[in-house]
Amino acid sequence: MPHESSLLQATVVLLLAAVFVVPLAKRLQLGAVLGYLIAGVVIGPAALQLIHNPENVAHFSEFGVVLLLFIIGLELSPRRLWLMRKAVFGVGLTQVALSGMVIGGVAYLGFSQSWQTSVVLGLGLALSSTAFGLQILAERKQLNSSHGRMAFAILLFQDIAAIPLIALVPFLSGSAGTDDASAGSVLRIFLSIGAVVVGGRYLLRPIFRMVAKTGLQEVSTATALLVVVGTAWLMDAVGVSMALGAFLAGLLLADSEYRHELESQIEPFKGLLLGLFFISVGMTADIQLLATMPLTVLGLTVLLMVIKLPILALVGNVLGGLDRRSALRLGVVLAAGGEFAFVVFQIAKDHQLLDVTLHSTLILAITLSMALTPLLIMLLVKMHKPVPVSKDVPPEYEQIESDEPRVVIIGMGRMGQIVARILRAQRVPFVALDLSVDTIELSRSIDSMPVYYGDPMRPEILRAVDADKAEYFVLTADDPETNIKITELVSRLYPHIKFIARARSRFHVHRLLELGARPIRETFHSSLEISRETLIGLGLSPERAEARIQRFQSHDEALLAEQHKVFNDRDALIQSAREAHDELQALFDADVIEERGV
C-alpha cells in the first residue's frame, strides 16, 4: 500500500507540474519543451524534491520517444525513405562523422582524455535529440520546411547510428564478451529485425482487419499499443534501441489502410509520455553543479553548441542544398545534445570510461543545451524576420503534385469511388475515409486509392489525415445523419472548409443548407435521365425531351429554394408542393402549345 500511495503521489505531482508550468512557459513564448524541462528541475531532487526516484520516471518515459518514432515511421513509407536516402545516409553520416571527430579531438587534445573516452564523447555528443528537435519544429509548424525535412533526415540517421555506438562502448572499455557471444548477439539482432519485418508485412494487417470488424474502440487502442510496445520489448531484449524498433514497425505499416487509425490511437499517449520524458530529463539534471562548477558546466555547454552549430549549418548548406538562413536554422535546432547520449554515457560510466563527476557534468551540459535551444530560436527569429515573397501562379497550371490533401472524401461507396477516380485523373491530391474493411480493400486492390480506415467523427482521425489543410469535404456516406453530424463537427473544427454532401431527401437538403453545405441529391440527376429516355421512347424528339427535363429541373430547384424558407413548417411545405404541381403542369402545357404553333 505505501508503494501504491507513492506512485499515486508521483502521478499527481507530475501532472500538476505539466498543467501549471508548461502553459506559463508557452505564455512567455519559451515553448512547451523548455516548460517541461523547468517543471522537471522544480519537482526533482535539485529543488523541491517532490519526486525521489527520477530514474524510474525516466525509464518509463522513454516510451514517449518510442511512440514518437513509431508515428514518424507511419508517416514515412519505404518509398519515401528511399527517396530520402541521400539526405539520411549522406548528410546524416557526414554530420555525425565531422562532429564526432572535432568533439573527440577536443576531448583528446584539449582535455587530456584517453582515446577510448574521446571516441565515446565525440560520437555521443555528435547525436542530437530526436524528441526535442522534432517537438520544437512541430510547435513552430516547420516540419515540412526545407530545414525541417533536413533535420528529420539527420535525426533518423543518428537514431540508426546509436545502435552500433551503444554496442561499441563495451569493446572500447576492453570488457566485451567473447567472439562467439558477440556473433550470437548479432545473429539475435538480425533474427529479431527479420521477425518484425515478416510480422509487419504478413501478420498485422489480418489482425487489424479482424479488430476493425469488431467495432470496439478499446480493442483497437489495445492493438495499436500492443504493436508498439511489443516491438519495443523485442528490440530491447536483443540489445537494439526500442525507438528504432518502433520506427521499423511504423515504417512497415506506413502503406497500410489502417495507418491513420493507428496514428490517432497512439497520438494521445505519445504527447503525454513525451512530455514526461522531458520532465524526467529536467529531474535527472544535477543543478548543484552549477553552484560548485559554474564555469566548467557553462563552458562545456557553450563549447558543445559552438562546435556542432557551424558543422550542421555547413553540412546543410553544402550537401543538403539549403540556403544560408535555412542552414543556420538547422544548426540551431540540432546543436544541443540528445537523449541517446544519456544512454551511451551511462554505459560508459558503468564500464569505467567516465567517472561520476564527468558523467554528471556532461548530463547537465546536455540538459542546458536543450534549454538554450528555444531561446536561440527566438533570438534567430527576431534577427531574421522572413520577407514575404509574392509568387505568380499561372492560372492554367492544373497538375497538382502537393502531398497535402485538397479534398477529403467521406465514404467510398458507389458515389465516393466515382469522385475519387475523377480527382485522381485530374491529379488532385485527396484522401478518403471509410469504416468498411471490405470497401477499403476493394478500392486499394483495384485502383490503389489512398483510402484509410477511420471514423471521421473522431477529431484525432481528422488531424491524422491533415483535414485542416483540405479545401473541400465531399460527404458521400449512405446515412443522412452521418453526413449531417460530420458537417457540424468539421465546420466547428475547421471553419474554412467547404462541403459538398450527398442528400437523400428534400428534408436532408434543407438541413445541409442550414449548415452551409452544398447538397447534391443522390437520385435527382439519375431520375431526370430516366425521365428523358422515357419521353424519347414515347415519341418525343430528343430536343423536346431535353427541353422538358430542363424546364422541370429549373422549376424544381427554384421550388427547393423557396421551400427552404419554411422547411420547418410541414403544412406550408405541403401547400407549396401542391401549388408547384399546378405551376409545372401549366408550364408544360404552355410549351406544348408553343411547339404546335411553331
Side-chain angles (χ1 to χ4, degrees), residues 257-258 412 433-445 451-454:
E257 58 269 34
Y258 305 103
M412 278 296 285
L433 291 173
D434 203 294
L435 288 173
S436 169
V437 176
D438 295 333
T439 299
I440 294 169
E441 290 181 344
L442 179 64
S443 300
R444 282 176 161 257
S445 62
V451 188
Y452 301 98
Y453 179 87

Side-chain angles (χ1 to χ4, degrees), residues 79-369:
R79 182 180 63 84
R80 187 178 170 197
L81 182 61
W82 175 251
L83 294 175
M84 293 174 61
R85 64 189 183 278
K86 179 181 177 182
V88 174
F89 298 102
V91 181
L93 174 62
T94 304
Q95 181 272 323
V96 172
L98 284 178
S99 300
M101 285 191 291
V102 174
I103 296 173
V106 170
Y108 183 71
L109 299 175
F111 292 90
S112 302
Q113 298 292 328
S114 67
W115 72 267
Q116 295 95 333
T117 301
S118 299
V119 169
V120 172
L121 291 175
L123 294 177
L125 293 173
L127 305 180
S128 305
S129 173
T130 301
F132 192 80
L134 295 183
Q135 183 75 9
I136 286 179
L137 290 169
E139 276 186 20
R140 298 181 174 274
K141 296 181 173 57
Q142 294 176 351
L143 277 173
N144 290 320
S145 64
S146 57
H147 69 280
R149 291 192 297 269
M150 187 59 62
F152 173 76
I154 292 173
L155 289 169
L156 181 56
F157 178 81
Q158 290 180 358
D159 290 338
I160 296 172
I163 298 172
L165 176 57
I166 291 171
L168 180 66
V169 174
F171 284 94
L172 291 174
S173 67
S175 57
T178 63
D179 292 341
D180 292 340
S182 301
S185 177
V186 172
L187 180 61
R188 285 195 301 273
I189 290 173
F190 278 106
L191 287 175
S192 299
I193 293 176
V196 172
V197 171
V198 173
R201 187 67 66 185
Y202 300 107
L203 297 180
L204 289 182
R205 288 193 180 189
I207 292 174
F208 284 122
R209 188 183 306 118
M210 177 183 67
V211 170
K213 287 183 176 180
T214 66
L216 298 175
Q217 195 62 45
E218 62 274 17
V219 179
S220 181
T221 303
T223 307
L225 288 174
L226 176 62
V227 170
V228 182
V229 177
T231 306
W233 169 78
L234 180 62
M235 294 294 101
D236 186 57
V238 297
V240 177
S241 162
M242 292 192 297
L244 191 66
F247 171 78
L248 182 60
L251 192 67
L252 293 170
L253 290 168
D255 293 325
S256 165
E257 58 269 34
Y258 305 103
R259 184 187 104 191
H260 293 301
E261 176 73 9
L262 279 168
E263 187 176 344
S264 67
Q265 300 286 3
I266 295 298
E267 187 69 35
F269 298 98
K270 183 214 75 174
L272 188 61
L273 289 175
L274 207 53
L276 187 61
F277 170 77
F278 292 126
I279 290 177
S280 70
V281 171
M283 286 193 298
T284 53
D286 189 358
I287 302 297
Q288 293 178 355
L289 288 175
L290 273 176
T292 58
M293 307 167 56
L295 294 179
T296 302
V297 173
L298 294 176
L300 283 176
T301 303
V302 172
L303 182 62
L304 170 64
M305 303 188 78
V306 165
I307 291 175
K308 287 181 68 176
L309 197 154
I311 291 176
L312 282 159
L314 178 66
V315 170
N317 179 249
V318 176
L319 297 181
L322 300 179
D323 57 61
R324 291 184 178 179
R325 182 175 296 179
S326 296
L328 182 59
R329 289 174 178 166
L330 173 71
V332 171
V333 170
L334 300 185
E339 60 270 5
F340 280 117
F342 298 150
V343 179
V344 171
F345 293 161
Q346 181 62 47
I347 297 173
K349 187 183 78 169
D350 295 340
H351 288 82
Q352 285 77 50
L353 286 174
L354 300 176
D355 59 49
V356 176
T357 303
L358 178 58
H359 175 265
S360 299
T361 306
L362 289 170
I363 297 301
L364 181 56
I366 293 171
T367 304
L368 288 177
S369 69

